[in-house]
Amino acid sequence: MAAAASGGRGGGTAADWGGFEDNMQGGGSAVIDMENMDDTSGSSFEDMGEMHQRMKEEEEEEEAEGEAGAAEEEDGEFLGMKGLRGQLGRQVADQMWQVGKRQASRAFSLYANIDILRPYFDVEPIQVRARLLESMIPVKMINFPQKIAGELYGPLMLVFTLVAILLHGMKTSDTIIREGTLMGTAIGTCFGYWLGVSSFIYFLAYLCNAQITMVQMLSLLGYGLFGHCITLFVTYNIHFHSLFYIFWLGVGGLSTLRMVAVLVSRTVGHTQRLILCGTLAALHMLFLLYLHFAYHKVVEGILDTLEGPNMPPFQRVARDIPVVSNAVLNTTAKAIALTL
Amino acid sequence: MMQQQQPYTGQIYQPTQTYTPTSAQSFYGSNFEDEPPLLEELGINFDHIWQKTLTVLHPLKVADGSIMNETDLAGPMVFCLAFGATLLLAGKIQFGYVYGISAIGCLGMFCLLNLMSMTGVSFGCIASVLGYCLLPMILLSTFAIVFSLQGMMGIILTAGIIGWCSFSASKIFISALAMEGQQLLVAYPCALLYGVFALISVF
């Protein structure tokens, strides 16, 4: 195998198609021994390891020969004159293999870095409960920066709870999503809001010179969804518009005030405070309004009827005779008349 | 440098003894008797399956942490199929939803528990535990065949069954991963997952 390989390489540097015949055994024999054939396609990945090794040996040989000779050979290879023999193909495939290997190892190390999120999930139940309750209490002291817990367990669970509440609301009101699934819509809405608005407010905070990190922003907005969860849980089951507005202003307002107060304590300057907190308040309150009206269509008709959710699953409906057009009726009648 | 050559102690110059059975009958006999039982070969241990099922069904029974060391997916597979079958009896052909939700739920719990626990946890262990704790949900969907779950009693029953499932699952996770004091934190995501299963059963 090594002899044939070196013969192949020698043939490659000498001529184009003539080198191919060098590999034939016994001159005019029609039988080709595949073991001695130099595989010139060079694109099989199983052979890549072996070819990589051979390329290394080849490079060492070329270095020993001298730079002038190596330069000439390289020129020839670059111009693709030797490409017809598969050397260019081999090099391209080899490069692809190396790039693929590098990308795979990079992706693997990126995946293994899920451990960087580990410290954000190190919480006790007492802490989570305390933070949930605190998220509804606006702070009074805005003169020095308020502490924000950089924790992701609570916010993540709150987002999933919101997804569950949305799903429940959609199911009880028989909402039909045409372009997608209920689960996908709910997850997309909630996670999109949490991640998207957090990123946007973080960007605004960067512009307005506020002292807040991305994890803290995610945590703050996540805990701010607690108010949304309570409001939607209550108003998806008790259908009174006035009750919703009371909850919207009361519960939603409290959680918004809390977030606004924390941000104000971390920002300097009136204009910056106004921009940042105004944007956050508007987005937060409008999101609650949107969730109520878009995902739980309270059809007033259902409240009026007596059945409601206790409708029997199967109903007998009188089967109508399908309506046919007049033309068909007329031609049928004429045909029957003719036959009589 | 040439050292004193050591005597060759291999057996390359001696032909290996080929097995010559005395008769065809005894050849078959010895091999057949030496084989382990089929269930043992497949890794299905009925006693362990029964133990784990009892652990799930008795919410107050203390779970043994070592029973979850072996990844047994035969039981969970049976339970998922039974859940799908009871949904089928209620007129809902939703095997695909059960498969999808259990796959995504197991993946989510795997990521979360790996981040929350000191020692890591394998995906098979998570899938096994979550599958076993699906058993009370089968009771719920059996009930849904006969009665509608959309009244007040249905809501209470659903909430009770979700609590039972998530309590059992968190109890087993806590004992297997040594995460004392965090049972509620583990129970809540389990409750959300089983809540989605309950949503399929109810609606």
Side-chain angles (χ1 to χ4, degrees), chain A residues 7-301:
Chain A
R9 263 183 268 129
T13 49
D16 310 25
W17 289 110
F20 186 72
E21 284 159 24
D22 288 343
N23 288 337
M24 291 277 232
Q25 271 189 344
S29 167
V31 176
I32 304 171
D33 189 354
M34 289 304 286
E35 211 179 306
N36 290 336
M37 182 77 86
D38 186 6
D39 185 48
T40 58
S41 63
S43 57
S44 158
F45 278 136
E46 292 105 50
D47 300 331
M48 267 307 114
E50 191 193 348
M51 280 193 194
H52 195 62
Q53 183 64 32
R54 268 197 272 153
M55 293 289 278
K56 272 195 195 151
E57 288 166 28
E58 202 183 320
E59 277 170 307
E60 282 163 24
E61 271 185 43
E62 284 176 4
E63 271 177 67
E65 276 171 35
E67 290 182 8
E72 249 181 68
E73 206 168 337
E74 273 171 28
D75 273 342
E77 283 171 0
F78 172 73
L79 287 175
M81 296 272 285
K82 316 292 179 272
L84 294 168
R85 272 281 284 124
Q87 207 146 19
L88 187 61
R90 257 194 292 156
Q91 281 192 333
V92 166
D94 188 29
Q95 266 182 349
M96 277 174 58
W97 182 70
Q98 278 186 321
V99 167
K101 191 172 115 167
R102 243 182 286 134
Q103 275 184 343
S105 55
R106 227 184 289 147
F108 181 71
S109 60
L110 191 70
Y111 165 73
N113 275 349
I114 200 172
D115 278 340
I116 57 173
L117 292 177
R118 206 174 257 268
Y120 304 126
F121 283 85
D122 187 18
V123 284
E124 303 284 317
I126 292 277
Q127 287 175 327
V128 176
R129 198 185 56 186
R131 284 170 194 163
L132 279 176
L133 292 173
E134 266 174 21
S135 73
M136 301 298 289
I137 303 170
V139 287
K140 295 255 171 48
M141 203 99 70
I142 55 172
N143 291 325
F144 66 91
Q146 292 295 316
K147 199 169 87 66
I148 306 176
E151 171 226 328
L152 288 179
Y153 174 84
L156 194 66
M157 288 304 121
L158 278 170
V159 173
F160 277 123
T161 310
L162 194 61
V163 170
I165 294 175
L166 269 183
L167 265 175
H168 176 69
M170 286 197 278
K171 278 289 193 184
T172 49
S173 70
D174 290 327
T175 308
I176 298 171
I177 306 272
R178 293 197 189 278
E179 300 282 332
T181 61
L182 287 181
M183 180 76 104
T185 314
I187 290 182
T189 308
C190 297
F191 271 94
Y193 175 76
W194 184 45
L195 297 171
V197 172
S198 288
S199 315
F200 180 61
I201 300 289
Y202 177 66
F203 168 67
L204 278 184
Y206 172 74
L207 291 181
C208 299
N209 228 359
Q211 309 287 325
I212 194 165
T213 64
M214 186 65 191
V215 173
Q216 285 174 331
M217 191 60 228
L218 282 169
S219 183
L220 191 67
L221 193 66
Y223 275 115
L225 287 176
F226 183 52
H228 283 28
C229 288
I230 296 177
T231 310
L232 291 174
F233 184 65
V234 170
T235 56
Y236 276 173
N237 295 313
I238 305 172
H239 310 285
F240 288 120
H241 271 321
S242 47
L243 182 71
F244 168 71
Y245 285 119
I246 294 170
F247 265 85
W248 180 59
L249 285 173
V251 177
L254 271 178
S255 69
T256 312
L257 268 178
R258 152 100 186 154
M259 292 198 297
V260 159
V262 168
L263 275 179
V264 160
S265 75
R266 285 168 167 257
T267 316
V268 180
H270 284 296
T271 320
Q272 286 93 325
R273 282 176 173 180
L274 198 60
I275 294 172
L276 198 56
C277 302
T279 319
L280 181 60
L283 285 172
H284 205 60
M285 299 294 276
L286 286 176
F287 184 58
L288 184 53
L289 213 58
Y290 165 70
L291 284 181
H292 177 83
F293 285 111
Y295 289 101
H296 188 70
K297 292 183 180 29
V298 181
V299 180
E300 256 74 38

